[in-house]
Amino acid sequence: MDVVSMRVANSVACENLEELKKAVGACDLRDGTCYKDYKQSLLDAQTLKSQLNYTAYRSAVCTATSKFFNCVDFVVTGDCTVEMATLMKDIVTDLFDYARCGSQDRVFF
């Protein structure tokens, strides 16, 4: 986890607390495998880190993160509005951003 990303995501969560509470209760991930695949990719990357191959490790983390951002989405149905789903996606992508993968051009940065 990137400390700057966590700080930004947590600040946004605090500033939008009531909206976020509603969104968490109303919105579901469209594809439940996104996080599972991301987690596995990070575990695989740890092997590179343990071998002290930091360049390959960073590349693997950035690839995994990029795939996760392209996959993660929230379903707009029932009580979950477009605004709620967008807020959820923006907070999740900000939280999982990693500064060493390049510029952080997420919405709340």
Side-chain angles (χ1 to χ4, degrees), residues 13-27:
C14 287
E15 292 169 11
N16 297 281
L17 191 57
E18 292 307 313
E19 295 89 349
L20 186 57
K21 283 182 194 177
K22 292 175 189 171
V24 167
C27 301

Side-chain angles (χ1 to χ4, degrees), residues 65-81:
T65 302
S66 178
K67 286 181 181 177
F68 176 70
F69 290 159
N70 289 327
C71 178
V72 72
D73 198 14
F74 291 86
V75 181
V76 179
T77 59
D79 293 334
C80 183
T81 66

Side-chain angles (χ1 to χ4, degrees), residues 1 9 21 32 45 54 59 65 68-69 75 79 83 88 93 107:
M1 290 291 195
K21 283 182 194 177
Y54 297 116
S59 177
T65 302
F68 176 70
F69 290 159
V75 181
D79 293 334
E83 292 80 14
M88 291 292 291
T93 54
V107 68

Side-chain angles (χ1 to χ4, degrees), residues 35-54:
Y35 182 71
K36 184 179 137 200
D37 293 346
Y38 177 65
K39 185 176 173 182
Q40 185 59 53
S41 295
L42 293 182
L43 288 172
D44 295 343
Q46 286 299 322
T47 303
L48 299 167
K49 187 177 180 183
S50 68
Q51 296 168 349
L52 305 180
N53 189 344
Y54 297 116

